[in-house]
Amino acid sequence: MGTVISIANQKGGVGKTTTAINLASSLSYLGKKVLLIDLDYQANATTCMGIDRGSFEKSVFDCLTDDEQLANVIMKTDNPMIDVLPAKTTVDPVEEKIIMNSNRDFILHTQLSVVKEDYDFILIDCPPSLGYVTTNAMMASDGVIVPVQCEFLAMDGLTQLLNTIRLVQSKKKVNKETLTIFGVLLTMLDTRVSSGFQVVNEVKTYFGEKVFQTIIPRNVSCSNATFYGVPVTEFSPKSKSSLSYRQLAKEVILRNE
Ligand SMILES: Nc1ncnc2c1ncn2[C@@H]1O[C@H](COP(=O)(O)OP(=O)(O)OP(=O)(O)O)[C@@H](O)[C@H]1O
Ligand SMILES: [Mg+2]
């Protein structure tokens, strides 16, 4: 049965999508079969996995509105170990449709149960918001990875995120299910400036053991890879950011045992 992990932080640009695609890629190198779910209207994860936005009709949002079965929307990628549930820019009021559904908290959970056994890991790239789309991701998940950018005001908004996690935890408890903070991931550390290390200390003081030992450095290969729409682990396999994502994958596997 696959472990489902949401990559969430309502703050924009902290490295959620970069983490989702590179963790998927790195886990696949370690022999793990991965489903990457793109829950962001920007559809960056979909594009970065080599899927042309014009090449499919239905997206994950059709699953969230219960208009389509999830298994029918999953797409193969060039990497046989990674499948993608793609996102598409949509004008459909997805959040409003979810609210109307009596199963509103569990739509993704229910849909995902059908394919869970086909994968070792299911990674969900969440949008930068804490609406029903993100809570559906968390309700369907065993754990959350919270990327925190090593920049000024890094901890800003984390209280709100933690409150949402607690709310989901209490709802899942009713079904005897759990949601853990799988790990807090420090991202985009600029090793040339001391303020970045201050954030590292602050986050470690607050989250203790939850913080992954692996820290993702700020690295130009990573932004270049985004520009070309590929994971950095493939674009520049020997770059510092690529090596750190591969290290992270090992930590994730260890924590999952
Ligand atoms: N380690 C890194 N080094 C350099 N640039 C990075 C690194 N990680 C991410 N970036 C860049 O930072 C930007 C934001 O990253 P990303 O899209 O992963 O964040 P996000 O949290 O998914 O954003 P959003 O909230 O908009 O979905 C991207 O342009 C990406 O290329
Ligand atoms: Mg993103």
Side-chain angles (χ1 to χ4, degrees), residues 174-191:
V174 179
N175 287 7
K176 295 195 170 54
E177 289 184 359
T178 54
L179 175 76
T180 61
I181 295 178
F182 198 86
V184 175
L185 177 67
L186 292 155
T187 63
M188 292 184 244
L189 175 66
D190 187 341
T191 50

Side-chain angles (χ1 to χ4, degrees), residues 183-186 200 203-215 251 255:
V184 175
L185 177 67
L186 292 155
V200 171
V203 172
K204 282 188 172 170
T205 305
Y206 192 81
F207 287 101
E209 298 276 286
K210 289 280 176 202
V211 182
F212 285 112
Q213 278 174 9
T214 307
I215 297 178
E251 254 193 273
R255 283 193 185 195

